[in-house]
Amino acid sequence: MDAAVLAGGWDPGADRIEARIVGVGTELERMPWTRAAHGVALEELASVRTFPVQRGRRIAPGWWWSSSTGRLVHYGFGAMRTQIMLLDHDPQVVGLACSPVELAWLGEESAVAVHAPHLMARLRDGSGLLVDCVGGEGVPARLADHAPAMAAAAGAVGWHYRIARPPDPVLVANVRWLSGYRHPRHGGSIPTGRVAGVFAQPLPLIEGARRLGEPIEAWPAIFHALWSGVLGAPLDRPLHERTVATGAAE
């Protein structure tokens, strides 16, 4: 997070933060944040907020099928969809949810403040990540006010928090392309071990495709391997047939 966002922020203390989640029967349940973070599988909960369709917005609310979990993840706008896609591509992410928790605390003047981070991700080490997504217009004033409390709450339970700004467009374009091959069916025609073996030494993608057999059969397996991390390649540069890829180390 930008230092400017944290500067001058007020830390309410994690023991004074309440978590609100959707429980059984869609009833709102309240509990201490520390209990929710350590004792509730937040990544499996429904969203505590809704995202209405807004006139003039290019991308309406929708659903993303996550290859990390095999489940649908809700998103409310384009910046959220992009961040869900990038998190789904991250090998450290094993769970994803849209706004599964709302945090409430007393502000500096004893007024109740509430905020529901846009996304929550469960990481491979068991910790969590809270994410707020912003577009090109920058960080809204309300989010800037609440961000220090979110960072403090996350840090107090061994989690992480970040405000996700628009990422590099080349990276987004590459990952979006690979996401079309994220379903396991694309890796079924050619075993991933064979794909990794062909690329044991750095090799242009087209050369690897030819060694794997018919390119029309090999390309989906290669793209799936790039998505899933079986192959590594520089995704901050335009992806093309001469891009050099390498089998990921065990």
Side-chain angles (χ1 to χ4, degrees):
M1 184 194 310
D2 293 347
V5 174
L6 289 174
W10 180 70
D11 179 358
D15 58 341
R16 294 157 60 190
I17 296 179
E18 178 184 79
R20 301 171 179 177
I21 62 175
V22 176
V24 178
T26 70
E27 295 293 329
L28 199 65
E29 296 184 6
R30 303 170 184 237
M31 65 185 70
W33 161 237
T34 50
R35 176 183 158 200
H38 292 307
V40 178
L42 296 177
E43 67 275 20
E44 298 180 3
L45 300 184
S47 177
V48 298
R49 63 185 298 185
T50 60
F51 296 91
V53 176
Q54 296 184 11
R55 181 182 295 274
R57 178 168 279 175
R58 188 173 65 87
I59 298 177
W63 297 88
W64 173 271
W65 183 81
S66 167
S67 62
S68 300
T69 66
R71 299 167 62 179
L72 293 172
V73 182
H74 186 47
Y75 61 83
F77 50 91
M80 281 183 68
R81 186 180 70 178
T82 296
Q83 294 302 327
I84 289 173
M85 177 183 72
L86 295 176
L87 287 169
D88 198 23
H89 177 60
D90 187 336
Q92 296 306 311
V93 172
V94 296
L96 278 170
C98 169
S99 300
V101 61
E102 179 181 71
L103 302 183
W105 66 96
L106 288 179
E108 293 182 68
E109 298 180 0
S110 296
V112 176
V114 296
H115 182 71
H118 290 136
L119 300 172
M120 177 266 168
R122 180 70 64 185
L123 304 183
R124 193 169 296 278
D125 64 2
S127 67
L129 169 67
L130 300 175
V131 181
D132 277 309
C133 310
V134 299
E137 68 278 4
V139 181
R142 183 177 180 277
L143 177 54
D145 289 341
H146 291 169
M150 295 300 98
V157 295
W159 286 27
H160 311 275
Y161 170 75
R162 69 168 179 246
I163 294 178
R165 296 176 180 273
D168 172 34
V170 174
L171 172 66
V172 171
N174 285 336
V175 176
R176 182 174 293 124
W177 171 265
L178 296 177
S179 73
Y181 298 87
R182 66 188 184 276
H183 196 280
R185 66 175 175 268
H186 295 293
S189 60
I190 300 176
T192 55
R194 185 180 168 209
V195 176
V198 166
F199 288 91
Q201 298 298 321
L203 193 68
L205 293 177
I206 185 61
E207 298 300 329
R210 289 168 178 161
R211 295 186 188 185
L212 285 168
E214 288 293 331
I216 196 170
E217 181 182 19
W219 280 119
I222 289 172
F223 292 144
H224 179 73
L226 285 167
W227 167 267
S228 61
V230 172
L231 297 182
L235 297 182
D236 57 349
R237 287 175 280 176
L239 192 65
H240 54 83
E241 66 177 14
R242 301 303 302 178
T243 295
V244 174
T246 308
E250 294 291 338

